[in-house]
Amino acid sequence: MRKLIYVFIFLFSLVFSLTYLHAGASGSSGSSETTSRLPGTEIQTEQSDIRLKIREVSQSLLGKSGPYLYLNGKKYINDCSGMVRAVFDNIGIDVFSEASQFPSGTNGVEIIYKTYRRQSWQNSSRTPKTGDLIIFNNTYDKNDNGRWDDKYTHVSVVTGVEENGSIVYIHHVSKGIQRYRMNLNKKGIYMEGGVLFNDFLRRRPSSDNDRTKYLSDNMFFAYVDVVGRP
């Protein structure tokens, strides 16, 4: 009987974590299961001081929640693009430097992507470096039309690559700043053999039984190398 109780508790916890997950450009919810778990062995793709500094600053923000971020005396909106802006301001790069050239109402993710579009790529065989960004689409219904046609809805910072090829990234979700994973070689796979490959980035309505399209790999749009910009 005790074993059956433990099994029930485990299954209930797993279903709960798979159902109530979501990420968006300006406030989203994330997996409580991955919040407290450190990533596995990470292969640092480039040991440059500036990229390691980006990783260090991003990790220092883990767990930060609330409407604002405070870093080095500056105040930032605590959403996904606000977190990225805070991290890069800390190393002397203003990722919003061309914001004034965009139409009013353009969100921060689109501004960042289009500012550095020449340094972006969508080829999954090219491994990103520590300090690169990941741009996601469709993490929420930005235009509120019920369709999967929402570009530039989320951004995160790459902090390393695991030995199994999973990209480890840090970003803002509704529960605060957290560490997630994405593995483009494990399409549609959340967990396999006890190993988590792709965190959930969008809430799955109870009416939708197809969970695979809400994973990190399904939301992926492009990588962006801000540091390597000429």
Side-chain angles (χ1 to χ4, degrees):
M1 178 63 71
R2 182 175 296 177
K3 289 184 178 180
L4 289 176
I5 293 174
Y6 289 156
V7 170
F8 176 80
I9 293 173
F10 170 78
L11 291 175
F12 178 82
S13 299
L14 180 60
V15 171
F16 182 85
S17 65
L18 294 179
T19 303
Y20 295 98
L21 302 173
H22 167 74
S26 60
S28 45
S29 55
S31 168
S32 58
E33 187 275 335
T34 59
T35 302
S36 60
R37 202 178 79 234
L38 294 175
T41 302
E42 293 182 34
I43 304 169
Q44 293 308 307
T45 51
E46 182 174 318
Q47 293 287 349
S48 72
D49 290 343
I50 190 169
R51 291 183 182 275
L52 293 180
K53 181 64 175 178
I54 293 170
R55 182 175 187 263
E56 177 186 336
V57 175
S58 298
Q59 290 179 331
S60 74
L61 298 175
L62 284 169
K64 299 287 186 183
S65 59
Y68 300 105
L69 275 178
Y70 297 90
L71 192 61
N72 290 339
K74 292 185 179 180
K75 177 181 177 181
Y76 302 89
I77 294 176
N78 193 12
D79 61 9
C80 66
S81 59
M83 189 212 80
V84 169
R85 187 177 190 181
V87 169
F88 280 85
D89 272 0
N90 194 263
I91 62 166
I93 297 177
D94 180 6
V95 294
F96 276 30
S97 61
E98 297 182 12
S100 62
Q101 300 180 27
F102 291 87
S104 176
T106 304
N107 77 0
V109 181
E110 183 173 356
I111 289 171
I112 292 171
Y113 172 69
K114 290 187 175 179
T115 298
Y116 297 94
R117 180 160 39 192
R118 292 185 179 180
Q119 288 74 239
S120 70
W121 71 98
Q122 297 170 308
N123 183 357
S124 61
S125 65
R126 177 181 167 185
T127 304
K129 298 175 181 178
T130 297
D132 286 341
L133 303 180
I134 308 175
I135 304 295
F136 296 97
N137 290 340
N138 296 304
T139 55
Y140 73 108
D141 190 2
K142 184 171 68 172
N143 56 22
D144 199 28
N145 67 354
R147 300 177 182 176
W148 289 71
D149 57 0
D150 304 283
K151 289 187 175 181
Y152 322 122
T153 58
H154 198 62
V155 62
S156 66
V157 179
V158 174
T159 58
V161 182
E162 293 184 329
E163 291 179 332
N164 60 16
S166 293
I167 308 301
V168 182
Y169 63 92
I170 291 176
H171 63 150
H172 175 273
V173 293
S174 65
K175 294 182 180 179
I177 295 173
Q178 299 188 14
R179 180 191 280 114
Y180 274 27
R181 290 172 178 78
M182 177 183 73
N183 193 316
L184 298 177
N185 295 319
K186 293 288 186 177
K187 287 286 188 181
I189 297 175
Y190 165 63
M191 183 178 286
E192 183 178 76
V195 177
L196 192 156
F197 289 105
N198 287 287
D199 275 285
F200 281 77
L201 275 183
R202 181 167 175 155
R203 187 186 301 277
R204 181 181 67 87
S206 59
S207 59
D208 189 345
N209 293 319
D210 181 7
R211 298 176 178 180
T212 60
K213 64 183 177 182
Y214 301 99
L215 296 169
S216 297
D217 66 295
N218 300 115
M219 307 288 106
F220 170 75
F221 174 63
Y223 294 115
V224 177
D225 182 0
V226 172
V227 176
R229 184 182 185 188

